[in-house]
Amino acid sequence: MKVKVWIMLLILVFLLSGCSKPENSTLPLAFIEANKVRINDLQLDTIDEIIQERTIDNGARVLIFKDKEDGQINGGINLRDKYYQIGEVSVENTPEDLMGIEEVQVFGKEAIKIYGILGTSYAQAFYWFTQEDFQGSIIQVDGNTTEIDLDNDGKQEIVSTLGTIPQTKIYILDENKIYACDINESIGAESSILKDRDKKLFEIYFQPNKPKKYMYDKGLLKEIVK
């Protein structure tokens, strides 16, 4: 008799688990304030060659140049008759499509994006928010970057992905401060990537061969279950 009861219970559990639709998983993300780049004075006699330059609306010039002393490819800004250095942008002989200067809109603000590569599978970008106070107006983002309106509020966030096992970060603006979230560390994922830019879908692995799809919504990742 007891065996029959257990069998009936097991069948009932099996049927219920098979017929019920799994609930969407919602994961909170942990954000920390992004570090700002220290801006140093640039001496003109250290410039060996200007590789790229761009003049923007306020008359400032943005440069990618080769340093005369160490051959490093650095970024620079010419603002109000003074020159400043923001750090290493790329390696020598970087292909043209992997290094450049662009005007972008991020967080509802105007920004200049200066990007390059520092090695195999190691891209990076600097974002200079030109309307902010100069010191404290630049952030540096590791990885391949894209600007995308994740939460459909009309303002673009930054998503970056780094490494052959993808590690993805989301950068947001909150109360006029920039915050970053490392998705892998925040939710304990093995890998994460913005898989479909048009649909704004992240593909996240918690274990091999079992990808899950998520969308970002105001500090949360919401699982998309078919």
Side-chain angles (χ1 to χ4, degrees), residues 67-87:
D67 189 274
K68 187 178 294 183
E69 294 182 2
D70 56 17
Q72 212 170 256
I73 307 302
N74 296 333
I77 296 171
N78 172 213
L79 181 66
R80 292 187 289 274
D81 298 324
K82 288 196 67 175
Y83 283 82
Y84 304 90
Q85 181 169 252
I86 62 174

Side-chain angles (χ1 to χ4, degrees), residues 82-123:
K82 288 196 67 175
Y83 283 82
Y84 304 90
Q85 181 169 252
I86 62 174
E88 185 177 11
V89 170
S90 202
V91 296
E92 283 194 85
N93 303 315
T94 300
E96 288 187 8
D97 60 331
L98 297 180
M99 178 175 68
I101 304 166
E102 296 179 1
E103 296 185 47
V104 296
Q105 291 281 335
V106 185
F107 313 135
K109 301 172 180 285
E110 296 179 2
I112 302 297
K113 178 180 178 180
I114 309 159
Y115 61 92
I117 57 172
L118 298 180
T120 304
S121 302
Y122 197 141

Side-chain angles (χ1 to χ4, degrees), residues 27-204:
L27 303 173
L29 296 173
F31 285 84
I32 61 173
E33 189 171 352
N35 293 326
K36 302 294 178 64
V37 171
R38 180 178 178 83
I39 303 169
N40 298 308
D41 291 344
L42 172 63
Q43 304 301 319
L44 291 181
D45 58 6
T46 65
I47 296 178
D48 181 42
E49 174 190 359
I50 295 178
I51 299 170
Q52 292 189 36
E53 64 179 308
R54 187 171 189 141
T55 302
I56 60 177
D57 289 343
N58 63 2
R61 281 198 311 150
V62 182
L63 317 171
I64 297 177
F65 66 92
K66 182 177 180 180
D67 189 274
K68 187 178 294 183
E69 294 182 2
D70 56 17
Q72 212 170 256
I73 307 302
N74 296 333
I77 296 171
N78 172 213
L79 181 66
R80 292 187 289 274
D81 298 324
K82 288 196 67 175
Y83 283 82
Y84 304 90
Q85 181 169 252
I86 62 174
E88 185 177 11
V89 170
S90 202
V91 296
E92 283 194 85
N93 303 315
T94 300
E96 288 187 8
D97 60 331
L98 297 180
M99 178 175 68
I101 304 166
E102 296 179 1
E103 296 185 47
V104 296
Q105 291 281 335
V106 185
F107 313 135
K109 301 172 180 285
E110 296 179 2
I112 302 297
K113 178 180 178 180
I114 309 159
Y115 61 92
I117 57 172
L118 298 180
T120 304
S121 302
Y122 197 141
Q124 70 153 359
F126 294 89
Y127 288 83
W128 173 32
F129 295 91
T130 57
Q131 306 303 312
E132 307 292 324
D133 291 338
F134 189 51
Q135 282 292 350
S137 64
I138 299 175
I139 61 169
Q140 187 264 335
V141 178
D142 290 325
N144 291 293
T145 56
T146 186
E147 300 80 41
I148 179 172
D149 183 5
L150 290 175
D151 49 13
N152 300 308
D153 65 352
K155 299 176 182 179
Q156 297 197 109
E157 286 73 43
I158 300 170
V159 175
S160 70
T161 300
L162 179 68
T164 52
I165 299 176
Q167 184 173 9
T168 296
K169 291 184 179 182
I170 298 173
Y171 290 76
I172 65 170
L173 184 73
D174 185 35
E175 295 184 353
N176 211 35
K177 292 183 178 180
I178 299 172
Y179 293 87
C181 169
D182 184 318
I183 293 177
N184 297 36
E185 291 184 2
S186 185
I187 61 176
E190 290 187 358
S191 71
S192 59
I193 192 169
L194 181 62
K195 186 69 173 182
D196 190 324
R197 193 184 190 285
D198 293 334
K199 294 181 180 179
K200 304 177 184 180
L201 286 178
F202 291 87
E203 184 177 80
I204 296 175

